[in-house]
Amino acid sequence: MNQHVSSSVPPVSGGPVDPKAIEDLVLASHILADQNVLDGFGHCSIRHPNAKDRFFLSASLSPAVIAVDDIMEYDLDSNPVDQRGRKMFLERFIHGEIYKARPDVNAVVHSHSPTVIPFSVTTHELKPICHMSAFLGGGVPNFEIHDAAQVTDLLIRDNYLGRALAHSLGHRDVCLMRGHGNVCVGPDIMTAVYRAIYTEVNARLQMQAMALGGPIRYLAQGEYELIQNRSDKNFDRPWRMWKERVTKA
Ligand SMILES: [Zn+2]
């Protein structure tokens, strides 16, 4: 028997889903590409709104070009429900293992957003420098893949590495990945997209402040906690603006 042919039966679907949820996932990819958070690589996903043990992620394509038909459903071991010959992201395990570990998370963005990467390879910690990035308060973990698997190509190629990354993320909203990128999570796609964009913005602003020299006054604990606990977060306001940019003819 050919050992490369899986004898396992594909997982069953979590059932029908509101087309708007899939459209928003496609939109999220286009927005993140437009905002230079995702480039030719990186991906975002949502948990199935009606089945906690399924999620949606596009086939392996650049985020700027994906369409509704490219969205695939997976179980939390990142097995496809209905592959139909479509190529899968090597790093789909990031999503499945975070959804397993974090029942509160319904959307995940994995990016290589460029300004964040230097903070993953130096001793400079990424810290909240303005009110828009208060969600970084309390420390941003940095996943060291070498601790989990020694010498690798730095990609999250299986469930074991996905689980190790989810463990580093812990209860936080953002986790850096040393020499690779980061993951941002949220209770919905708008929040995860907001966090991915403002993680990149914060990294840029922090580097500019560091270049000016002298001590930097980051948000204090009381400040970022007050902002994080606000009920009127208005994530839909920038979402509408970002959407406008990518849906204009
Ligand atoms: Zn990656």
Side-chain angles (χ1 to χ4, degrees), residues 41-43 91 94 110-112 154-156 177 180-182:
F41 302 98
H43 22 88
E91 296 194 286
I94 291 172
H110 166 54
S111 83
H112 307 150
L154 303 192
L155 301 183
I156 306 297
M177 301 161 73
H180 178 172
N182 69 81

Side-chain angles (χ1 to χ4, degrees), residues 16-113:
V17 60
D18 181 352
K20 185 173 180 304
I22 302 298
E23 285 162 18
D24 278 352
L25 177 57
V26 171
L27 205 50
S29 282
H30 295 175
I31 287 171
L32 289 165
D34 183 56
Q35 294 292 317
N36 298 317
V37 170
L38 300 179
D39 51 9
F41 302 98
H43 22 88
C44 53
S45 69
I46 54 166
R47 195 192 290 273
H48 193 308
N50 310 316
K52 291 295 244 179
D53 56 355
R54 297 287 183 274
F55 70 94
F56 293 102
L57 172 69
S58 86
S60 180
L61 292 162
S62 289
V65 305
I66 66 159
V68 165
D69 285 347
D70 300 316
I71 302 298
M72 298 172 63
E73 183 179 349
Y74 290 93
D75 70 8
L76 298 193
D77 286 330
S78 298
N79 298 307
V81 165
D82 180 20
Q83 187 174 0
R84 280 187 277 130
R86 291 173 287 183
K87 195 173 172 216
M88 299 186 287
F89 283 120
L90 284 173
E91 296 194 286
R92 59 191 181 278
F93 307 99
I94 291 172
H95 303 264
E97 290 297 330
I98 289 177
Y99 290 126
K100 270 187 210 170
R102 290 282 299 271
D104 59 311
V105 165
N106 293 312
V108 175
V109 176
H110 166 54
S111 83
H112 307 150
S113 78

Side-chain angles (χ1 to χ4, degrees), residues 74-179:
Y74 290 93
D75 70 8
L76 298 193
D77 286 330
S78 298
N79 298 307
V81 165
D82 180 20
Q83 187 174 0
R84 280 187 277 130
R86 291 173 287 183
K87 195 173 172 216
M88 299 186 287
F89 283 120
L90 284 173
E91 296 194 286
R92 59 191 181 278
F93 307 99
I94 291 172
H95 303 264
E97 290 297 330
I98 289 177
Y99 290 126
K100 270 187 210 170
R102 290 282 299 271
D104 59 311
V105 165
N106 293 312
V108 175
V109 176
H110 166 54
S111 83
H112 307 150
S113 78
T115 320
V116 182
I117 291 178
F119 291 93
S120 77
V121 296
T122 61
T123 55
H124 296 285
E125 281 179 56
L126 190 67
K127 294 182 181 177
I129 202 154
C130 69
H131 67 300
M132 303 298 283
S133 41
F135 60 90
L136 297 173
V140 179
N142 188 10
F143 173 59
E144 175 48 83
I145 195 167
H146 193 270
D147 291 345
Q150 287 76 56
V151 178
T152 64
D153 62 2
L154 303 192
L155 301 183
I156 306 297
R157 288 177 173 273
D158 56 33
N159 283 310
Y160 168 76
L161 290 171
R163 213 154 35 242
L165 172 61
H167 181 75
S168 283
L169 172 68
H171 66 284
R172 309 313 309 260
D173 300 324
V174 180
C175 184
L176 308 189
M177 301 161 73
R178 192 267 301 165

Side-chain angles (χ1 to χ4, degrees), residues 163-228:
R163 213 154 35 242
L165 172 61
H167 181 75
S168 283
L169 172 68
H171 66 284
R172 309 313 309 260
D173 300 324
V174 180
C175 184
L176 308 189
M177 301 161 73
R178 192 267 301 165
H180 178 172
N182 69 81
V183 289
C184 296
V185 303
D188 53 58
I189 190 71
M190 269 195 291
T191 307
V193 165
Y194 174 94
R195 287 173 177 161
I197 290 172
Y198 277 99
T199 297
E200 170 68 17
V201 168
N202 191 92
R204 197 159 59 233
L205 294 175
Q206 188 173 337
M207 277 197 192
Q208 288 167 350
M210 288 159 73
L212 289 175
I216 299 173
R217 185 163 179 176
Y218 296 99
L219 294 200
Q221 184 174 358
E223 292 171 335
Y224 65 68
E225 284 179 355
L226 258 179
I227 297 165
Q228 283 170 324

